[in-house]
Amino acid sequence: LKNLESANEIAENMNNKAPEIIFATTPSALILIDGDPVWKETDNTDYQYVVNTPFFIVKQASTGKYFLKGGNHWYKTTDLKGEWVNTENPPRDLVKLAEKAMGDQKEEEAESDTASNVVPKIYLRTTPAELLQAAGEPQYAPVESTSLLYMTNCPQVILMDINSQLYYILISGRWYSGKSLTANQWQFIAADKLPADFANIPKNSDIAAV
């Protein structure tokens, strides 16, 4: 009983505020920095790199530009949180710096980059965020015996309740609902507050795991 009370207390005190939800219908990548970027000098005095991210992000002092290495692609921008554009001609000294810094990771990225000809759009964030990636415009299929639809061309769980016209998404074990996929106005929904039809999802459904 004490363990149950402790678990309930922990659940009540958890921060269930929705992170920023980014919904994309074209190839995209989410780059996260843990808070404001922390810069560190490199062997080349013209460059500094961000230490509080697993991604290779550098700032060039002489130009004020930022560069990002992602897979087989390079990106650049003058605004870290702004729009990143693909560049096929990064500075040579920067390429050498990346090869030295990334080591074996470079080879692993090349092997895993099966869509090397596709240049994804970059979303860089310094606060909690999640990327929902659909393969083109949303496509839906009905969930048998319910008033629910589920998105079939998205690896993440996205449902729509026909009755309320609300979307439901599952992020890190928590449900959030909203009227739009792109407005980023999501509200936390406790499991016992979900539409009744969630309990009617058939066991053989493609989304039975939810």
Side-chain angles (χ1 to χ4, degrees), residues 97-166:
L97 184 64
E99 290 176 350
K100 180 179 179 181
M102 300 176 74
D104 295 338
Q105 183 180 346
K106 179 178 181 293
E107 181 177 345
E108 292 173 2
E109 283 188 346
E111 293 176 353
S112 64
D113 193 0
T114 56
S116 59
N117 293 326
V118 177
V119 180
K121 178 180 176 61
I122 298 297
Y123 293 93
L124 186 146
R125 298 293 186 268
T126 58
T127 54
E130 293 283 345
L131 174 65
L132 305 182
Q133 176 71 74
E137 292 302 313
Q139 299 176 14
Y140 296 93
V143 181
E144 185 180 353
S145 303
T146 74
S147 61
L148 303 173
L149 302 175
Y150 73 97
M151 193 177 296
T152 59
N153 60 333
C154 182
Q156 294 90 9
V157 176
I158 301 179
L159 300 173
M160 172 188 266
D161 178 24
I162 298 175
N163 293 330
S164 64
Q165 292 294 296
L166 287 176

Coordinates of all heavy atoms in Angstrom, one line a residue, residues 97-166:
L97 N 38.6 18.9 -39.6 CA 38.3 19.0 -38.2 C 37.2 18.0 -37.8 O 37.3 17.3 -36.8 CB 37.9 20.4 -37.8 CG 37.6 20.7 -36.3 CD1 38.9 20.6 -35.5 CD2 37.1 22.1 -36.1
A98 N 36.2 17.9 -38.6 CA 35.1 17.0 -38.4 C 35.6 15.5 -38.4 O 35.2 14.7 -37.6 CB 34.0 17.2 -39.4
E99 N 36.4 15.2 -39.4 CA 37.0 13.8 -39.5 C 37.8 13.5 -38.3 O 37.6 12.3 -37.8 CB 37.8 13.7 -40.8 CG 37.0 13.8 -42.1 CD 37.9 13.8 -43.3 OE1 39.2 13.9 -43.1 OE2 37.4 13.7 -44.4
K100 N 38.5 14.4 -37.8 CA 39.3 14.1 -36.6 C 38.4 14.0 -35.4 O 38.6 13.1 -34.5 CB 40.3 15.2 -36.4 CG 41.2 15.0 -35.1 CD 42.2 16.2 -35.0 CE 43.1 16.0 -33.8 NZ 44.1 17.1 -33.6
A101 N 37.4 14.8 -35.3 CA 36.6 14.8 -34.1 C 35.6 13.7 -34.0 O 35.3 13.1 -33.0 CB 35.8 16.1 -34.0
M102 N 35.1 13.3 -35.2 CA 34.1 12.3 -35.3 C 34.6 10.8 -35.4 O 34.0 9.9 -35.0 CB 33.1 12.5 -36.4 CG 32.4 13.9 -36.3 SD 31.4 14.3 -37.7 CE 30.0 13.2 -37.4
G103 N 35.8 10.7 -35.9 CA 36.5 9.4 -36.0 C 35.6 8.3 -36.6 O 35.1 8.5 -37.7
D104 N 35.4 7.2 -35.9 CA 34.7 6.1 -36.4 C 33.2 6.4 -36.6 O 32.5 5.8 -37.4 CB 34.7 4.9 -35.4 CG 36.1 4.4 -35.3 OD1 36.9 4.6 -36.2 OD2 36.4 3.7 -34.2
Q105 N 32.7 7.4 -36.0 CA 31.3 7.8 -36.1 C 31.0 8.2 -37.6 O 29.9 8.0 -38.1 CB 30.9 9.0 -35.2 CG 29.5 9.4 -35.3 CD 29.2 10.6 -34.4 OE1 29.9 10.9 -33.5 NE2 28.0 11.2 -34.6
K106 N 32.0 8.8 -38.3 CA 31.8 9.2 -39.7 C 31.5 8.0 -40.5 O 30.6 8.0 -41.4 CB 33.1 9.9 -40.2 CG 33.1 10.3 -41.6 CD 34.3 11.0 -42.0 CE 34.3 11.5 -43.5 NZ 34.2 10.4 -44.4
E107 N 32.2 6.9 -40.3 CA 32.0 5.7 -41.1 C 30.7 5.1 -40.8 O 29.9 4.6 -41.7 CB 33.1 4.6 -40.8 CG 33.0 3.4 -41.6 CD 34.1 2.4 -41.4 OE1 35.2 2.9 -40.8 OE2 34.0 1.2 -41.8
E108 N 30.3 5.1 -39.5 CA 29.0 4.5 -39.1 C 27.9 5.3 -39.7 O 26.9 4.7 -40.2 CB 28.9 4.5 -37.6 CG 29.8 3.6 -36.9 CD 29.8 3.7 -35.4 OE1 29.0 4.6 -34.9 OE2 30.6 3.0 -34.7
E109 N 28.0 6.6 -39.8 CA 26.9 7.5 -40.3 C 26.8 7.2 -41.8 O 25.7 7.1 -42.4 CB 27.3 9.0 -40.1 CG 27.0 9.4 -38.7 CD 27.1 10.9 -38.6 OE1 27.7 11.5 -39.5 OE2 26.7 11.5 -37.6
A110 N 27.9 7.0 -42.5 CA 27.9 6.8 -43.9 C 27.2 5.5 -44.2 O 26.4 5.3 -45.2 CB 29.3 6.7 -44.5
E111 N 27.4 4.4 -43.4 CA 26.8 3.1 -43.6 C 25.3 3.2 -43.3 O 24.5 2.5 -44.0 CB 27.4 2.1 -42.7 CG 28.9 1.8 -43.1 CD 29.5 0.8 -42.1 OE1 28.9 0.5 -41.1 OE2 30.7 0.4 -42.3
S112 N 24.9 4.0 -42.4 CA 23.5 4.1 -42.0 C 22.7 5.1 -42.8 O 21.5 5.1 -42.8 CB 23.4 4.5 -40.5 OG 23.9 5.7 -40.3
D113 N 23.4 5.9 -43.6 CA 22.7 6.9 -44.4 C 22.2 6.3 -45.7 O 22.8 6.5 -46.8 CB 23.6 8.1 -44.6 CG 22.8 9.3 -45.1 OD1 21.6 9.2 -45.3 OD2 23.5 10.3 -45.4
T114 N 21.2 5.5 -45.6 CA 20.7 4.8 -46.8 C 20.0 5.8 -47.8 O 19.8 5.4 -49.0 CB 19.7 3.7 -46.4 OG1 18.6 4.3 -45.6 CG2 20.4 2.7 -45.5
A115 N 19.6 6.9 -47.4 CA 18.9 7.9 -48.3 C 19.8 9.1 -48.5 O 19.5 10.2 -48.2 CB 17.6 8.3 -47.7
S116 N 21.1 8.8 -48.9 CA 22.1 9.9 -48.9 C 21.8 11.0 -49.9 O 22.3 12.1 -49.9 CB 23.5 9.3 -49.3 OG 23.4 8.6 -50.5
N117 N 20.9 10.7 -50.9 CA 20.5 11.7 -51.9 C 19.4 12.6 -51.4 O 19.0 13.6 -52.0 CB 20.1 11.0 -53.2 CG 21.3 10.3 -53.9 OD1 22.4 10.8 -53.8 ND2 21.0 9.2 -54.5
V118 N 18.8 12.2 -50.3 CA 17.7 13.0 -49.7 C 18.3 13.9 -48.6 O 19.0 13.5 -47.7 CB 16.6 12.1 -49.1 CG1 15.6 13.0 -48.4 CG2 16.0 11.2 -50.1
V119 N 18.1 15.2 -48.8 CA 18.6 16.2 -47.8 C 17.4 16.6 -46.9 O 16.5 17.3 -47.3 CB 19.2 17.5 -48.6 CG1 19.7 18.5 -47.5 CG2 20.3 17.0 -49.5
P120 N 17.4 16.2 -45.7 CA 16.3 16.5 -44.8 C 16.3 18.0 -44.3 O 17.4 18.6 -44.3 CB 16.5 15.6 -43.6 CG 18.0 15.3 -43.6 CD 18.4 15.3 -45.0
K121 N 15.2 18.5 -44.0 CA 15.1 19.8 -43.4 C 15.5 19.7 -41.9 O 15.2 18.7 -41.2 CB 13.6 20.3 -43.4 CG 13.4 21.6 -42.8 CD 11.9 22.0 -42.9 CE 11.6 23.4 -42.2 NZ 12.4 24.5 -42.7
I122 N 16.3 20.7 -41.5 CA 16.8 20.7 -40.1 C 16.0 21.5 -39.2 O 15.7 22.7 -39.5 CB 18.3 21.2 -40.1 CG1 19.2 20.3 -41.0 CG2 18.8 21.3 -38.7 CD1 19.3 18.9 -40.4
Y123 N 15.6 20.9 -38.1 CA 15.0 21.7 -37.0 C 15.9 21.6 -35.8 O 16.2 20.5 -35.3 CB 13.6 21.0 -36.6 CG 12.6 21.1 -37.7 CD1 12.4 20.1 -38.6 CD2 11.7 22.2 -37.7 CE1 11.4 20.2 -39.5 CE2 10.7 22.3 -38.7 CZ 10.6 21.3 -39.6 OH 9.6 21.4 -40.6
L124 N 16.5 22.7 -35.4 CA 17.4 22.7 -34.2 C 16.6 23.4 -33.1 O 16.1 24.5 -33.2 CB 18.7 23.5 -34.6 CG 19.7 23.4 -33.5 CD1 21.1 23.4 -34.1 CD2 19.6 24.6 -32.5
R125 N 16.7 22.7 -31.9 CA 16.0 23.2 -30.7 C 16.9 23.1 -29.5 O 17.7 22.1 -29.4 CB 14.7 22.4 -30.5 CG 13.7 22.5 -31.6 CD 13.1 23.9 -31.7 NE 12.0 24.0 -32.6 CZ 12.2 24.4 -33.9 NH1 13.4 24.6 -34.4 NH2 11.1 24.5 -34.7
T126 N 16.7 24.0 -28.6 CA 17.5 24.0 -27.3 C 16.6 23.7 -26.1 O 17.0 23.7 -25.0 CB 18.2 25.3 -27.1 OG1 17.3 26.4 -27.1 CG2 19.2 25.6 -28.2
T127 N 15.3 23.4 -26.4 CA 14.3 23.0 -25.4 C 13.7 21.7 -25.8 O 13.8 21.3 -27.0 CB 13.3 24.1 -25.2 OG1 12.7 24.4 -26.5 CG2 13.9 25.4 -24.7
P128 N 13.0 21.0 -24.9 CA 12.4 19.7 -25.3 C 11.5 19.8 -26.5 O 10.7 20.7 -26.6 CB 11.6 19.3 -24.0 CG 12.3 20.0 -22.9 CD 12.8 21.3 -23.5
A129 N 11.7 18.8 -27.4 CA 11.0 18.8 -28.6 C 10.9 17.4 -29.2 O 11.7 16.5 -28.8 CB 11.6 19.7 -29.7
E130 N 9.9 17.1 -29.9 CA 9.7 15.8 -30.6 C 9.3 16.0 -32.0 O 8.6 17.0 -32.4 CB 8.6 15.0 -29.9 CG 8.9 14.5 -28.5 CD 9.9 13.4 -28.4 OE1 10.1 12.7 -29.5 OE2 10.4 13.1 -27.4
L131 N 9.8 15.2 -32.9 CA 9.5 15.3 -34.3 C 8.6 14.1 -34.7 O 9.0 12.9 -34.5 CB 10.8 15.2 -35.2 CG 10.6 15.2 -36.7 CD1 10.0 16.4 -37.2 CD2 12.0 15.0 -37.4
L132 N 7.5 14.4 -35.3 CA 6.6 13.4 -35.8 C 6.7 13.5 -37.4 O 6.5 14.5 -38.0 CB 5.1 13.7 -35.4 CG 4.8 13.8 -33.9 CD1 3.3 14.0 -33.7 CD2 5.3 12.5 -33.2
Q133 N 7.2 12.4 -37.9 CA 7.5 12.4 -39.3 C 6.6 11.5 -40.2 O 6.7 10.3 -40.1 CB 9.0 11.9 -39.5 CG 9.5 11.8 -40.9 CD 9.7 13.1 -41.5 OE1 10.7 13.8 -41.2 NE2 8.8 13.5 -42.5
A134 N 5.8 12.1 -41.0 CA 4.9 11.3 -41.9 C 5.6 11.3 -43.3 O 6.3 12.2 -43.7 CB 3.6 12.0 -42.0
A135 N 5.4 10.2 -44.0 CA 5.9 10.0 -45.3 C 4.9 10.6 -46.3 O 4.1 9.9 -46.9 CB 6.2 8.5 -45.6
G136 N 5.0 11.9 -46.5 CA 4.0 12.6 -47.3 C 2.8 13.0 -46.5 O 2.8 13.0 -45.3
E137 N 1.8 13.5 -47.3 CA 0.6 14.0 -46.6 C -0.1 12.8 -45.8 O 0.0 11.7 -46.2 CB -0.4 14.5 -47.6 CG 0.1 15.8 -48.3 CD 0.3 16.9 -47.3 OE1 -0.5 17.1 -46.4 OE2 1.4 17.5 -47.4
P138 N -0.7 13.1 -44.6 CA -1.2 12.1 -43.8 C -2.2 11.2 -44.5 O -3.1 11.6 -45.3 CB -1.9 12.9 -42.7 CG -1.2 14.2 -42.7 CD -0.9 14.5 -44.1
Q139 N -2.1 9.9 -44.2 CA -3.0 8.9 -44.7 C -3.6 8.2 -43.5 O -2.8 7.8 -42.6 CB -2.3 7.9 -45.6 CG -1.8 8.6 -46.9 CD -1.0 7.7 -47.8 OE1 -1.1 6.4 -47.6 NE2 -0.3 8.2 -48.7
Y140 N -4.9 7.9 -43.5 CA -5.5 7.3 -42.3 C -6.3 6.0 -42.7 O -6.7 5.8 -43.8 CB -6.5 8.3 -41.7 CG -5.9 9.6 -41.2 CD1 -5.8 10.7 -42.0 CD2 -5.4 9.6 -39.9 CE1 -5.2 11.9 -41.5 CE2 -4.9 10.8 -39.4 CZ -4.8 11.9 -40.2 OH -4.2 13.0 -39.7
A141 N -6.4 5.2 -41.7 CA -7.2 4.0 -41.8 C -8.1 3.9 -40.6 O -7.7 4.3 -39.5 CB -6.4 2.7 -42.0
P142 N -9.3 3.3 -40.7 CA -10.2 3.2 -39.5 C -9.7 2.1 -38.6 O -9.1 1.1 -39.0 CB -11.6 2.9 -40.1 CG -11.2 2.2 -41.4 CD -10.0 2.9 -41.9
V143 N -10.0 2.3 -37.3 CA -9.7 1.3 -36.3 C -11.1 0.5 -36.1 O -12.0 1.1 -35.7 CB -9.2 1.9 -35.0 CG1 -9.0 0.7 -34.0 CG2 -8.0 2.7 -35.2
E144 N -11.1 -0.7 -36.4 CA -12.3 -1.5 -36.4 C -13.0 -1.4 -35.0 O -12.4 -1.4 -34.0 CB -12.0 -3.0 -36.7 CG -13.2 -3.9 -36.8 CD -12.8 -5.3 -37.1 OE1 -11.6 -5.6 -37.3 OE2 -13.7 -6.2 -37.1
S145 N -14.3 -1.3 -35.1 CA -15.2 -1.3 -33.9 C -15.0 0.0 -33.1 O -15.4 0.0 -31.9 CB -15.0 -2.5 -33.0 OG -15.2 -3.7 -33.8
T146 N -14.5 1.0 -33.7 CA -14.3 2.3 -32.9 C -14.6 3.4 -33.9 O -14.8 3.3 -35.1 CB -12.8 2.4 -32.4 OG1 -12.0 2.8 -33.5 CG2 -12.3 1.2 -31.7
S147 N -14.6 4.6 -33.3 CA -14.7 5.9 -34.1 C -13.4 6.5 -34.3 O -13.3 7.7 -34.4 CB -15.7 6.8 -33.4 OG -15.2 7.2 -32.1
L148 N -12.3 5.7 -34.2 CA -10.9 6.2 -34.3 C -10.3 5.9 -35.7 O -10.7 4.9 -36.3 CB -10.0 5.6 -33.3 CG -10.5 5.7 -31.8 CD1 -9.6 4.8 -30.9 CD2 -10.4 7.2 -31.4
L149 N -9.5 6.9 -36.1 CA -8.7 6.7 -37.3 C -7.2 6.7 -36.8 O -6.9 7.4 -35.8 CB -8.9 7.8 -38.3 CG -10.3 8.0 -38.8 CD1 -10.3 9.2 -39.8 CD2 -10.8 6.8 -39.6
Y150 N -6.3 6.0 -37.5 CA -4.9 6.1 -37.2 C -4.1 6.4 -38.5 O -4.5 6.0 -39.6 CB -4.4 4.8 -36.5 CG -4.2 3.6 -37.4 CD1 -3.0 3.3 -38.0 CD2 -5.3 2.8 -37.7 CE1 -2.9 2.1 -38.8 CE2 -5.2 1.7 -38.5 CZ -3.9 1.3 -39.1 OH -3.8 0.2 -39.9
M151 N -3.0 7.1 -38.3 CA -2.2 7.5 -39.4 C -1.3 6.3 -39.8 O -0.6 5.8 -39.0 CB -1.3 8.7 -39.1 CG -0.7 9.4 -40.3 SD 0.3 10.9 -39.9 CE -1.1 12.0 -39.3
T152 N -1.4 5.9 -41.1 CA -0.7 4.7 -41.5 C 0.7 5.0 -42.1 O 1.5 4.1 -42.2 CB -1.6 4.1 -42.6 OG1 -1.7 5.0 -43.7 CG2 -2.9 3.6 -42.1
N153 N 1.0 6.3 -42.4 CA 2.3 6.6 -43.0 C 3.2 7.4 -42.1 O 3.9 8.3 -42.5 CB 2.1 7.3 -44.3 CG 1.4 8.6 -44.2 OD1 0.6 8.8 -43.3 ND2 1.6 9.5 -45.1
C154 N 3.1 7.0 -40.8 CA 3.9 7.7 -39.8 C 4.3 6.6 -38.7 O 3.5 5.8 -38.3 CB 3.1 8.8 -39.1 SG 4.0 9.7 -37.8
P155 N 5.6 6.5 -38.4 CA 6.1 5.5 -37.5 C 5.6 5.8 -36.0 O 5.5 4.9 -35.2 CB 7.6 5.6 -37.6 CG 7.9 6.9 -38.1 CD 6.7 7.3 -39.0
Q156 N 5.3 7.0 -35.7 CA 4.8 7.4 -34.4 C 3.3 7.2 -34.3 O 2.6 7.1 -35.4 CB 5.1 8.8 -34.0 CG 6.6 9.1 -33.8 CD 7.3 9.5 -35.1 OE1 6.6 9.8 -36.1 NE2 8.6 9.6 -35.1
V157 N 2.8 7.1 -33.1 CA 1.3 6.8 -33.0 C 0.6 8.2 -33.1 O 0.7 9.1 -32.2 CB 1.0 6.2 -31.6 CG1 -0.5 6.0 -31.4 CG2 1.7 4.8 -31.5
I158 N -0.3 8.3 -34.1 CA -1.2 9.4 -34.2 C -2.6 8.9 -34.5 O -2.8 8.3 -35.5 CB -0.7 10.4 -35.4 CG1 0.8 10.9 -35.1 CG2 -1.6 11.6 -35.5 CD1 1.3 11.8 -36.2
L159 N -3.5 9.3 -33.7 CA -4.9 8.9 -33.8 C -5.8 10.1 -33.9 O -5.4 11.2 -33.5 CB -5.3 8.0 -32.6 CG -4.6 6.7 -32.3 CD1 -5.0 6.1 -31.0 CD2 -4.8 5.7 -33.5
M160 N -6.9 9.9 -34.6 CA -7.9 10.9 -34.6 C -9.3 10.3 -34.1 O -9.7 9.3 -34.6 CB -8.1 11.6 -36.0 CG -9.3 12.5 -36.0 SD -9.8 13.1 -37.7 CE -8.9 14.6 -37.7
D161 N -9.9 11.0 -33.2 CA -11.3 10.7 -32.8 C -12.3 11.4 -33.7 O -12.4 12.6 -33.6 CB -11.4 11.0 -31.3 CG -12.8 10.7 -30.8 OD1 -13.5 9.8 -31.4 OD2 -13.3 11.3 -29.8
I162 N -13.0 10.6 -34.5 CA -13.9 11.2 -35.4 C -15.0 12.1 -34.7 O -15.4 13.1 -35.2 CB -14.6 10.1 -36.3 CG1 -13.5 9.4 -37.1 CG2 -15.7 10.8 -37.2 CD1 -14.1 8.3 -37.9
N163 N -15.4 11.6 -33.5 CA -16.5 12.3 -32.8 C -16.1 13.7 -32.4 O -16.9 14.6 -32.5 CB -16.9 11.4 -31.6 CG -17.6 10.1 -32.0 OD1 -18.2 10.1 -33.1 ND2 -17.4 9.1 -31.2
S164 N -14.9 13.8 -31.8 CA -14.5 15.1 -31.3 C -13.6 15.9 -32.3 O -13.3 17.0 -32.1 CB -13.7 14.9 -30.0 OG -12.5 14.2 -30.2
Q165 N -13.1 15.2 -33.3 CA -12.2 15.8 -34.3 C -10.9 16.2 -33.6 O -10.2 17.1 -34.0 CB -12.8 17.0 -35.0 CG -14.0 16.6 -35.9 CD -13.5 15.8 -37.1 OE1 -12.7 16.3 -37.9 NE2 -14.0 14.6 -37.2
L166 N -10.5 15.5 -32.6 CA -9.3 15.7 -31.9 C -8.2 14.7 -32.3 O -8.5 13.5 -32.5 CB -9.5 15.7 -30.4 CG -10.2 16.9 -29.7 CD1 -10.4 16.6 -28.2 CD2 -9.5 18.2 -29.9

